[in-house]
Amino acid sequence: MTEALEHLPLIDVHSVVADAAPEAVFDAVERRFAGWLSGRLGGALSRLWGCEPAGAFEVVAEERPTLIVVAGKHRFSRYGIVFRINPTSTGSTLSAESHAEFPGLHGRAYKALVVDSRLHVIATRRLLGEIADSAEH
């Protein structure tokens, strides 16, 4: 894990295979997080939840083309994702290592709603698939 997230507990790790070079996968991760909560609806949601940064995530570490780390916080959680990109004979493997803490009563309720319900698993797998698709095209 990177220094930026070493204080956050591990939630889970998921991976996907992309038919794209590591550089293309890295660029796709960067694009995906450049405007995470942008636009009118995203901005309103960000303000409502008290996201820092305003877009919910910021790049806190990177080693092109094999590692990119994003992190942020809001009223219910402090969180980050370590994306590792490993070359394969036909493209790349992209893994997402999620870390988070959920302080206080509201944080525990949020964790139950998002993590314990497995919504986080569904969202993370979908995110990885979207990134892989973006890198491939």
Side-chain angles (χ1 to χ4, degrees), residues 14-16 83 94-96 123-133:
H14 300 276
S15 297
V16 66
F83 290 97
L94 170 65
S95 65
T124 302
R125 288 180 179 165
R126 181 175 178 184
L127 171 67
L128 286 172
E130 290 171 356
I131 291 169
D133 287 345

Side-chain angles (χ1 to χ4, degrees), residues 61-130:
E62 62 180 41
E63 294 174 20
R64 183 173 282 277
T66 60
L67 176 77
I68 186 165
V69 182
V70 297
K73 65 181 180 175
H74 56 61
R75 298 185 201 291
F76 314 111
S77 178
R78 286 185 268 307
Y79 49 82
I81 308 171
V82 178
F83 290 97
R84 297 184 195 282
I85 304 158
N86 294 304
T88 67
S89 61
T90 60
S92 305
T93 299
L94 170 65
S95 65
E97 181 181 297
S98 300
H99 297 264
E101 63 183 1
F102 306 91
L105 180 61
H106 292 116
R108 287 192 300 279
Y110 178 79
K111 180 180 182 283
L113 179 67
V114 175
V115 176
D116 298 341
S117 72
R118 310 231 350 121
L119 285 175
H120 172 76
V121 170
I122 294 166
T124 302
R125 288 180 179 165
R126 181 175 178 184
L127 171 67
L128 286 172
E130 290 171 356

